[in-house]
């Protein structure tokens, strides 16, 4: 039986890495992307292969939409050469950055950077990869708890993720004829290097988030990778057009 195959963007570190290895542990082959951390990406590939699946890493900057055609062509060749197949099954649009700056001080450059990565990147990368996605496949877009609750300094970031959530519903509607389900995972605050590692490294912020979270702590990457893997499993094939928040119960 042929393994399912997932493409996870931004998976050399953080939530993407955790999700990739969780999928690999469940027998899903993976193609991960990285922007600049090739050594880290290669290490993830090696870890995945040690779990008994096929894996590969391809460089991609999700802020550069003009490169997506070339990326799709590379994926097509990789599928043929390494997997002897023409299609992949799952796309996880995970790659992203966090910029924490008050609304009144947000520059147009920062706004455009967030838009290019989170919204334009997700929109057009998905579009370019659709011809290579198998019917009955899944798309999972990573959003944020900040689309439900507000935290000062994230207006532009959260606005882009809010747009991704709306886009996900439209994708679910338009791709339903191909049997492709589209969902959103919205993590709460997680201890990673995301956004400069503020949640992980700022003890005061960490304790504050823990105090407003029903489960009494800040999230860890392991809390999210399993959610992503679960939503891509056969057990959840009937879940579609949903936003699943994984925040431990923040701001209830």
């Amino acid at each position: 039986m042929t393994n399912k195959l997932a493409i996870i963007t931004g998976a050399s570190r953080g939530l993407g890495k955790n999700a990739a290895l969780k999928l690999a542990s469940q027998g899903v082959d993976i193609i991960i992307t990285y922007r600049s951390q090739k050594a880290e990406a290669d290490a993830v590939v090696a870890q995945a292969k040690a779990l008994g699946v096929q894996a590969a890493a391809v460089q991609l900057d999700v802020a550069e939409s003009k490169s997506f055609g070339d990326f799709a062509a590379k994926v097509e060749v990789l599928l043929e050469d390494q997997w002897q197949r023409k299609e992949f099954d799952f796309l996880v649009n995970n790659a992203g950055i966090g910029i924490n700056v008050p609304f009144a001080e947000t520059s147009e450059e920062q706004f455009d950077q967030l838009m290019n990565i989170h919204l334009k990147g997700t929109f057009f990368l998905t579009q370019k990869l659709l011809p290579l996605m198998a019917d009955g496949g899944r798309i999972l877009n990573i959003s944020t708890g900040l689309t439900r609750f507000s935290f000062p300094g994230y207006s532009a970031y959260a606005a882009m993720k809010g747009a991704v959530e709306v886009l996900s519903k439209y994708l679910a509607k338009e791709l339903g004829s191909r049997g492709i389900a589209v969902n959103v995972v919205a993590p709460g605050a997680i201890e990673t290097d995301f956004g400069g590692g503020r949640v992980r490294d700022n003890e005061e912020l960490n304790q504050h988030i823990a105090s407003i979270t029903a489960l009494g702590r800040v999230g860890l990457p392991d809390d999210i990778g399993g959610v992503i893997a679960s939503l891509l499993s056969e057990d959840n094939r009937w879940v579609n057009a949903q936003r699943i928040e994984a925040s431990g119960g923040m701001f209830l």
Side-chain angles (χ1 to χ4, degrees):
M1 182 178 174
T2 304
N3 286 353
K4 296 290 187 180
L5 174 57
I7 296 177
I8 307 110
T9 65
S12 64
R13 59 176 181 82
L15 300 186
K17 172 183 176 180
N18 191 277
L21 294 177
K22 189 70 174 181
L23 285 164
S25 73
Q26 297 180 0
V28 177
D29 292 348
I30 60 169
I31 296 173
I32 66 168
T33 78
Y34 64 95
R35 185 173 67 87
S36 58
Q37 298 179 311
K38 185 179 188 302
E40 289 87 343
D42 289 343
V44 175
V45 168
Q47 287 178 267
K49 288 181 175 179
L51 292 169
V53 301
Q54 291 194 69
V58 183
Q59 196 278 332
L60 173 69
D61 185 347
V62 295
E64 297 294 334
S65 58
K66 288 181 173 58
S67 71
F68 294 169
D70 288 342
F71 173 75
K74 289 179 183 176
V75 169
E76 187 172 15
V77 171
L78 186 60
L79 290 173
E80 186 67 41
D81 290 352
Q82 186 166 333
W83 275 272
Q84 291 78 54
R85 57 192 286 184
K86 295 184 180 298
E87 298 173 320
F88 69 97
D89 302 286
F90 307 140
L91 173 61
V92 181
N93 285 307
N94 165 78
I97 63 166
I99 295 178
N100 178 257
V101 60
F103 168 78
E105 298 169 23
T106 301
S107 69
E108 192 169 347
E109 182 182 20
Q110 289 169 324
F111 184 97
D112 288 346
Q113 185 181 18
L114 287 166
M115 181 179 67
N116 287 339
I117 291 171
H118 292 286
L119 179 55
K120 189 174 180 180
T122 296
F123 191 108
F124 287 104
L125 181 63
T126 302
Q127 186 186 79
K128 288 295 185 184
L129 290 176
L130 265 183
L132 299 175
M133 176 171 273
D135 290 351
R138 302 302 166 76
I139 297 170
L140 199 54
N141 294 323
I142 306 303
S143 182
T144 173
L146 293 163
T147 60
R148 177 178 65 83
F149 51 78
S150 57
F151 214 82
Y154 289 102
S155 58
Y157 171 76
M160 301 311 159
K161 290 300 196 181
V164 167
E165 292 184 9
V166 173
L167 171 64
S168 300
K169 291 184 179 181
Y170 276 82
L171 291 177
K173 186 74 169 178
E174 294 194 25
L175 303 181
S177 60
R178 289 184 53 190
I180 296 173
V182 185
N183 291 294
V184 169
V185 171
I190 307 293
E191 288 187 8
T192 68
D193 60 0
F194 186 77
R198 290 181 74 244
V199 172
R200 180 192 62 198
D201 301 334
N202 185 320
E203 186 175 350
E204 185 179 350
L205 177 62
N206 192 292
Q207 290 178 354
H208 173 64
I209 292 170
S211 74
I212 57 168
T213 301
L215 291 180
R217 64 171 175 82
V218 172
L220 301 170
D222 278 345
D223 295 321
I224 306 301
V227 176
I228 292 171
S230 175
L231 280 172
L232 295 177
S233 73
E234 279 302 297
D235 289 341
N236 283 312
R237 64 188 176 277
W238 198 238
V239 178
N240 193 20
Q242 300 303 303
R243 176 190 185 274
I244 308 299
E245 184 173 306
S247 70
M250 287 182 67
F251 286 109
L252 297 180

